[in-house]
Amino acid sequence: MNGAQTLVKTLLGAGVDVCFSNPGTSEMHFVAALDEHPDMKCVLGLHETVVTGAADGYARMAGKPAATLLHLGPGLGNGLANLHNAKRARSQVVNVVGDHATYHGHFDAPLTSDVEGIARPVSDWVRSSKTSHRVAGDAAEAIAAARQAPGHIATLILPADCAWSEATGPASPIEPPKPLAPIEAAVSTAVDWLRSGRKVAVLLGDQALMEENLELAGKISAASGCELFSPTSNRRMMRGAGRVAVERIAYPVDVALARLADFEVVLSFGADEPVAFFAYPGKPSRVFPEGCEVIPVATVRQDIPAALAAVCEGLGAQNTTAPVTELALPDAPTGAITPDAAAAVIARSLPENTIVIDEAITSGRSLDGITRGAVAHDWLQLTGGAIGGGFPLATGAATACPDRPVLALQADGSGAYSLQALWTQAREEQHVVTLIFANREYRILKGEMANVGVKTVGKNALGMLDLRRPTIGWVDLAKGFGVAGEAVESVEDLTAALTRGFAEKRPYLIEAIMP
């Protein structure tokens, strides 16, 4: 048994049975070892940003890590943006990055690079195996690191000779430490505030946005009158009819400041204090008012469900009925495809239990409120702000949940970063419907120019924000990757296209042309 074989057996022994890959020469022994195990599902991505983003989407839905297989430093570098998003989502990912044989590095071959240096900014755990006999143990530690609450990125660097040389055998799984118990004093403080009759916001993130924990938060809200919020971007939200509604904090700073202006304290369960995405001249970075205290009742490293249950018990709200969202669909819109109209069509078209991937950017500003009363569904957001996550996230989510429909809401500008994922969706015959919001510009940046105080926008600036000359042909691009699709210009046609797409049970792309 060689090092690569012990690595595969160690992965499988710890329950890691999916590998998103884009391999090269130095990884061929690992590829051969994967070939010996049909119980390891191997999914090829045509670009490393697809590989890492798919691993993120998989982890968010499966609740366990997938492996990635990347080729040396440049291959890892190609996947960094979506590893950044995955790290912000606190997803569980085990990267396996090939490297030159240990004795070959000093020759400075063309692909020689500082793989550890590239990995560290987007990894919580990094190690390069020194010998073939250490590969299995290193892999077991990497998996345990990835699985440690709340979820981490672990990067194991596998030199080629450590993969092909003889090794002793696989390593047993290492059980990660359990989440820390909530602190009684924090729970007591939260209960005091909730009983005070003052203006209290409860901020929910991470596991708090799962259905059973939302019910606890709903009971707390019903008993105390507090309001429930989530950060702007979340790993996964369970929402829709039959579930407790949570309001996402708006992306535009002015909107968020106005909405949150009256709160005196924030009680946080699994969420960091929300701040503006960017700094703007004359505007604060905090979106809660000055003087508003943010109290972390449970951090992401603590037992969030236990903290919610303890606060609920402290309020005596265990038997309180949590208010849940009623099925409330908006009226059917007509005419041109505006953001509000598109949101209404989406709300009316969602099949039960759909996984929604949201990289709609500016076109998605209306989605939160308008889709809140749709049928029950999951919502995955772009957590790190690095665009190009949508297509890969959908691919990974569909891999994790092949029996559920996936709707990818995709801005056209960010979609161009990772459209190779369509090929993987076609190859894997995934039930993914992609809706492209084709406004044919980086519209968000036009707004940002005004936000940072630029008063005059000339030809050069506009040229860097425009996606015409030539116009991107999304339906043709999809066809080239093996995905059927159509372009629509009215909400009536969009409704019919979504119906066709969900009925297809295979990848389908809809280009919604917007005024």
Side-chain angles (χ1 to χ4, degrees):
M1 189 178 297
N2 62 29
Q5 291 168 320
T6 67
L7 173 54
V8 176
K9 288 181 178 291
T10 300
L11 289 167
L12 287 168
V16 181
D17 54 7
V18 172
C19 180
F20 297 99
S21 69
N22 189 280
T25 303
S26 55
E27 295 82 47
M28 287 298 100
H29 284 85
F30 187 38
V31 171
L34 290 167
D35 194 39
E36 297 170 359
H37 293 276
D39 46 342
M40 175 70 80
K41 181 175 179 62
C42 297
V43 181
L44 177 63
L46 298 185
H47 190 279
E48 291 87 350
T49 200
V50 174
V51 171
T52 55
D56 181 11
Y58 177 90
R60 297 195 201 191
M61 294 308 303
K64 66 175 187 176
T68 72
L69 174 54
L70 305 168
H71 183 44
L72 292 100
L76 172 61
N78 280 340
L80 287 190
N82 278 328
L83 284 176
H84 167 81
N85 289 330
K87 189 176 182 184
R88 286 288 182 172
R90 303 184 178 102
S91 291
Q92 305 175 39
V93 179
V94 177
N95 297 311
V96 178
V97 184
D99 199 4
H100 289 307
T102 54
Y103 60 82
H104 191 65
H106 75 275
F107 290 104
D108 197 26
L111 276 169
T112 301
S113 63
D114 180 4
V115 185
E116 287 192 27
I118 296 169
R120 289 196 185 282
V122 292
S123 303
D124 302 285
W125 182 100
V126 180
R127 182 176 299 168
S128 182
S129 290
K130 302 303 181 186
T131 71
S132 58
H133 296 285
R134 292 176 59 176
V135 169
D138 290 342
E141 290 189 41
I143 298 162
R147 291 178 56 210
Q148 184 173 348
H152 295 88
I153 311 297
T155 299
L156 176 63
I157 300 163
L158 182 66
D161 55 332
C162 293
W164 72 53
S165 297
E166 183 178 346
T168 48
S172 298
I174 299 171
E175 193 64 29
K178 293 181 179 180
L180 302 171
I183 298 171
E184 290 184 14
V187 170
S188 178
T189 298
V191 171
D192 289 344
W193 269 104
L194 291 163
R195 285 177 171 164
S196 69
R198 297 167 76 180
K199 191 79 168 173
V200 177
V202 168
L203 184 66
L204 305 172
D206 202 77
Q207 295 179 60
L209 295 171
M210 304 300 285
E211 186 167 12
E212 62 275 16
N213 300 322
L214 285 172
E215 184 178 0
L216 290 169
K219 291 181 177 185
I220 292 168
S221 177
S224 67
C226 69
E227 295 185 55
L228 304 180
F229 293 90
S230 78
T232 305
S233 302
N234 300 282
R235 174 169 67 187
R236 177 182 175 186
M237 298 180 71
M238 300 183 78
R239 63 197 299 272
R243 292 168 172 165
V244 171
V246 177
E247 181 180 347
R248 283 173 60 199
I249 293 172
Y251 173 92
V253 175
D254 293 334
V255 175
L257 288 169
R259 175 68 181 91
L260 304 173
D262 296 332
F263 287 97
E264 299 174 72
V265 71
V266 180
L267 305 177
S268 171
F269 296 83
D272 297 326
E273 179 181 355
V275 296
F277 252 65
F278 302 101
Y280 300 100
K283 297 181 182 181
S285 294
R286 296 181 83 231
V287 293
F288 279 101
E290 225 25 72
C292 177
E293 185 181 3
V294 178
I295 299 173
V297 186
T299 70
V300 292
R301 290 172 175 79
Q302 291 175 299
D303 191 333
I304 297 167
L308 284 165
V311 171
C312 192
E313 183 178 357
L315 283 173
Q318 304 97 309
N319 297 320
T320 302
T321 300
V324 297
T325 306
E326 299 289 336
L327 181 65
L329 301 179
D331 294 335
T334 59
I337 304 173
T338 64
D340 284 3
V345 172
I346 291 163
R348 295 174 59 85
S349 302
L350 279 185
E352 188 88 27
N353 219 22
T354 298
I355 302 166
V356 181
I357 310 298
D358 183 3
E359 196 180 15
I361 317 294
T362 45
S363 298
R365 296 271 172 87
S366 307
L367 286 166
D368 182 56
I370 294 175
T371 62
R372 201 170 295 168
V375 297
H377 58 278
D378 285 41
W379 204 279
L380 279 59
Q381 288 137 14
L382 188 69
T383 49
I387 63 175
F391 281 125
L393 278 175
T395 306
T399 303
C401 303
D403 57 334
R404 296 177 62 176
V406 177
L407 174 63
L409 305 176
Q410 182 63 67
D412 53 355
S414 56
Y417 280 57
S418 55
L419 73 164
Q420 302 95 325
L422 289 170
W423 181 89
T424 303
Q425 293 173 15
R427 185 186 225 207
E428 298 293 321
E429 298 182 337
Q430 294 180 334
H431 189 190
V432 178
V433 178
T434 299
L435 174 56
I436 301 288
F437 292 91
N439 56 32
R440 294 172 176 167
E441 60 186 2
Y442 291 125
R443 186 163 293 180
I444 190 171
L445 295 182
K446 284 191 171 180
E448 295 298 89
M449 291 282 280
N451 286 339
V452 299
V454 176
K455 300 188 183 305
T456 303
V457 182
K459 180 179 178 181
N460 278 353
L462 287 174
M464 288 185 279
L465 308 180
D466 182 69
L467 298 180
R468 300 170 182 86
R469 298 182 299 125
T471 297
I472 299 170
W474 281 101
V475 176
D476 291 335
L477 288 169
K479 182 179 179 181
F481 284 119
V483 173
E486 59 183 297
V488 297
E489 297 190 47
S490 71
V491 292
E492 293 87 351
D493 288 343
L494 175 58
T495 301
L498 281 170
T499 301
R500 281 189 290 273
F502 284 123
E504 279 287 317
K505 303 286 179 74
R506 66 183 68 186
Y508 197 80
L509 182 138
I510 301 162
E511 181 181 9
I513 299 170
M514 306 181 74

